Amino acid sequence: MKYISTRNRNRVYTGAEAIVKGISDDGGLIVPSSFPIIDGAKLDELCEMDYPERAAEVLSMYLDEFTRDELLDYARKAYSRFDGDDPCPLVKVEDGLFMLELWHGPTYAFKDMALTLLPYLMVASKRKLGDTSKTLILVATSGDTGKAALEGFKDVEGTEIIVFYPVKGVSAMQKLQMTTQEGGNVHVAGIKGNFDDAQTAVKAIFTDPDAIAELKKKGIEMSSANSINWGRLAPQIAYYVSAYCDLVTSGEIECGDKINFVVPTGNFGNILAGYYAYRMGIPVGKLIIASNANNILTDFFNTGKYDTNRNFFKTMSPSMDILVSSNLERLLFEVTGRDDAKIRGLYDSLKKYGKFELDLEDADLGIFEAGWADEEDTREAMANFFDLDDYVLDPHTAVAASVYSEYADETQDETTTVIVSTASPYKFACDVYNAVADAHEDDVEKAVNKLMLFTGAECPEGILRLKHLPVRHNNVIAKEDAKRAVFAFVDEEKKD
């Protein structure tokens, strides 16, 4: 399998190169040259496997430089860090409606599904390429990716990791998870701004020739743990495939029946993995995009206009507080017939004017539906799900539940549906408790305890331990100082 850039199809990479580089030299995103197909026979085989085997099988279809045994070894090691026997259990809420719980990993968010595996893929890819340089993992986070990447790459030989997060744009629990992170190779800094500021700063460093050259002199190459990295995105395809298999093996559907997925998304990586599973042959009826008040994706899928010149809202679902959805570029590349010239034009316009427009008649977007939920909708979804189904939602999953409820009412679509549940409710204990109990608690520790008592839902041990950990990272910088901070961290590490 070869890989190409969304902005220049003539730039070709191997799978190992795609993982190590993270982003194409031209600023485009790296995508597979074709989609491998899962036919009926292969789906039958996958249904007989456990989750690590399914993940290894899906990855082996894309990463042919790796043996299946290598990939299975990495998957078993990665998912052994999750609670329970199944890293992503599919929970039946009511007839025809299921929750795909992706938050049973070490940081209690769906990012663990890929970021526990990525370090193994990164180290092995460098070895296959004969690359002996140190890898600097550079990450912008809207909340969950940062902690998952820090935990995944903690003390991994030959790597350093730097995470930038919006200092006032993450939940108190997310911030505490990052600022207490242990590890000799980890660095964290808050940015005065929002996630888009952090993401823009990181992308600028990735494509800065002077930064690249200076780091190279120090024996360092940059890569990413954000979903712009193919090695981060590819493992996410597996849980869509696995969810379908679980519905078949449980007798909830017949093999070949279509299902819907509802995905809370901001940066578009999670739902893009679902689209890739669909392109591989998984029978999907609709992929339903769920946005919060920062509903730029909903507007785009309904009008074709993508315009970042709009109000930015801080919400109780901070991982979706995003206006520049990086992985949308990968989707647009596919639905415009892989027209790299068109993609260059769209993203030149985004860079210059903060917006672009696509004629929806020219794009194959029929599988997608899009909706959004405001803060009151989100609170109501958390309260109603607990009252009716005794199920506790985090705010991001609540956005998806609200959007699905509206979609189902409007369309009367009775297709079996999976809501992708992206985080433990305890990562957002204040907002969840206040919603389900109609309360006004703003102390995180008290909210955790009250949420446990009120709902009976078990709180992960790692979250309970956080209050006892010392804060190790308290840097806060202006967004224009991100490059300077990268070199300060690098030079600090060399001194150590």
Side-chain angles (χ1 to χ4, degrees), residues 9 18-19 80-81 106-107 114 145 188 204 214 248 271 315 366 369 377:
R9 292 190 301 176
I19 292 168
S80 69
R81 301 177 61 192
T107 75
T145 291
V188 181
E214 186 61 29
V248 172
I271 198 163
T315 73
E369 297 288 338
D377 294 330

Side-chain angles (χ1 to χ4, degrees), residues 434-446:
N434 290 339
V436 299
D438 192 21
H440 301 281
E441 180 59 72
D442 58 5
D443 181 283
V444 174
E445 186 177 337
K446 290 180 180 178

Side-chain angles (χ1 to χ4, degrees), residues 197-251:
D197 295 321
Q199 181 169 245
T200 299
V202 165
K203 283 185 175 179
I205 297 168
F206 268 115
T207 55
D208 183 332
D210 293 335
I212 293 168
E214 186 61 29
L215 287 169
K216 198 163 189 175
K217 287 180 185 177
K218 300 174 184 289
I220 297 171
E221 300 279 355
M222 284 187 289
S223 190
S224 174
N226 284 95
S227 55
I228 58 173
N229 189 319
W230 174 247
R232 156 74 187 281
L233 185 61
Q236 295 180 241
I237 301 170
Y239 53 72
Y240 288 94
V241 176
S242 185
Y244 190 87
C245 290
D246 284 345
L247 286 171
V248 172
T249 57
S250 64

Side-chain angles (χ1 to χ4, degrees), residues 120-164:
Y120 294 102
L121 296 175
M122 182 76 71
V123 171
S125 293
K126 293 194 71 172
R127 187 168 58 245
K128 290 177 186 297
L129 295 171
D131 185 348
T132 59
S133 65
K134 177 174 278 192
T135 300
L136 173 60
I137 307 295
L138 202 54
V139 178
T141 185
S142 54
D144 288 330
T145 291
K147 173 60 179 178
L150 289 163
E151 189 64 29
F153 281 94
K154 176 183 69 177
D155 294 328
V156 171
E157 186 176 354
T159 66
E160 295 292 322
I161 178 167
I162 301 174
V163 169
F164 294 110

Side-chain angles (χ1 to χ4, degrees), residues 151-202:
E151 189 64 29
F153 281 94
K154 176 183 69 177
D155 294 328
V156 171
E157 186 176 354
T159 66
E160 295 292 322
I161 178 167
I162 301 174
V163 169
F164 294 110
Y165 70 94
V167 70
K168 293 185 179 179
V170 299
S171 77
M173 192 69 74
Q174 288 171 318
K175 182 177 179 180
L176 192 59
Q177 282 188 304
M178 288 186 284
T179 57
T180 58
Q181 177 66 49
E182 298 175 328
N185 63 337
V186 304
H187 311 277
V188 181
I191 278 188
K192 298 173 184 175
N194 58 38
F195 169 74
D196 292 319
D197 295 321
Q199 181 169 245
T200 299
V202 165

